[in-house]
Amino acid sequence: MKIKSNNHQPLIRLPLATAAGAFIAEYSDHGLASLDFPSDANPPPGSMAVPPEIRRWHSLTTRAVKTALAGKSPAELPPLDLTRGTAFQQTVWRELQKIPGGQTLSYGQIAAALGRPSAARAVGGACGANPVPLLVPCHRVLAAGGRPGGFSGGMAWKRRLLAAEGVPLPG
DNA sequence: ATTTACAATATGA
DNA sequence: TCATATTGTAAAT
């Protein structure tokens, strides 16, 4: 995932070890700001002091990510810092969190749920801008007719996450 | 049945 | 103005 050039706020990066690899979680003062998929080029976490509150959030994030990887719904999420998104994007992300595990919607259905039935394309843009995959389940959104659509972290992840929830993609 | 092509649409950089 | 993780329709394989 690309590093945002927008670093108007110092973020604390922490490695998040799972059976699927080491994710990178980034925290701001408000909560979890972004979650990156495992990569071979994981930068070492900054050796700055980690406030106790953030360690507590990281504990919740770790548990939630592992639960999501297992195809189940996390019982508790850390606070999410979505202030980097626009108002429309935040509305979309909130809507995504309402999708129960194992269920998929289309971009058009998300748009309709927001009262903008013709904003499917814009919803796709908001999904692509989602900084917190897995916890904001952008992988449960397909294109119309069951077509796969896209995924920031790569289609392999989208297939894997959906398969864990019992929704295999064709192919 | 599957692949292209294209217009219309909302949002963001 | 241009790009996009869309959608629906149409035409050509």
Side-chain angles (χ1 to χ4, degrees):
Chain A
M1 176 179 184
K2 192 189 334 186
I3 302 295
K4 285 178 153 51
S5 56
N6 173 20
N7 50 342
H8 65 88
Q9 186 173 203
L11 298 179
I12 294 185
R13 302 168 60 85
L14 292 175
L16 198 162
T18 72
F23 287 72
I24 293 293
E26 292 186 329
Y27 297 89
S28 72
D29 290 342
H30 300 283
L32 179 66
S34 80
L35 184 65
D36 283 357
F37 284 100
S39 144
D40 291 332
N42 274 344
S47 55
M48 62 179 86
V50 178
E53 186 174 53
I54 289 187
R55 280 194 296 166
R56 186 170 59 83
W57 291 345
H58 193 55
S59 173
L60 288 175
T61 305
T62 303
R63 200 153 42 111
V65 167
K66 288 180 177 177
T67 302
L69 285 174
K72 291 175 288 191
S73 295
E76 189 178 3
L77 295 182
L80 302 181
D81 180 11
L82 303 178
T83 59
R84 294 192 299 177
T86 65
F88 177 78
Q89 287 169 343
Q90 293 179 37
T91 305
V92 172
W93 298 337
R94 204 188 53 184
E95 190 69 26
L96 293 183
Q97 291 183 70
K98 289 160 57 175
I99 306 178
Q103 178 177 343
T104 60
L105 295 179
S106 72
Y107 296 97
Q109 284 174 306
I110 298 287
L114 300 178
R116 309 283 168 114
S118 56
R121 199 167 190 167
V123 169
C127 289
N130 170 23
V132 191
L134 271 69
L135 307 189
V136 176
C138 48
H139 59 277
R140 297 200 188 117
V141 187
L142 308 179
R147 293 191 311 286
F151 194 62
S152 297
M155 292 306 296
W157 275 107
K158 187 165 189 170
R159 276 206 318 269
R160 171 179 190 155
L161 293 169
L162 286 175
E165 299 178 359
V167 188
L169 289 176

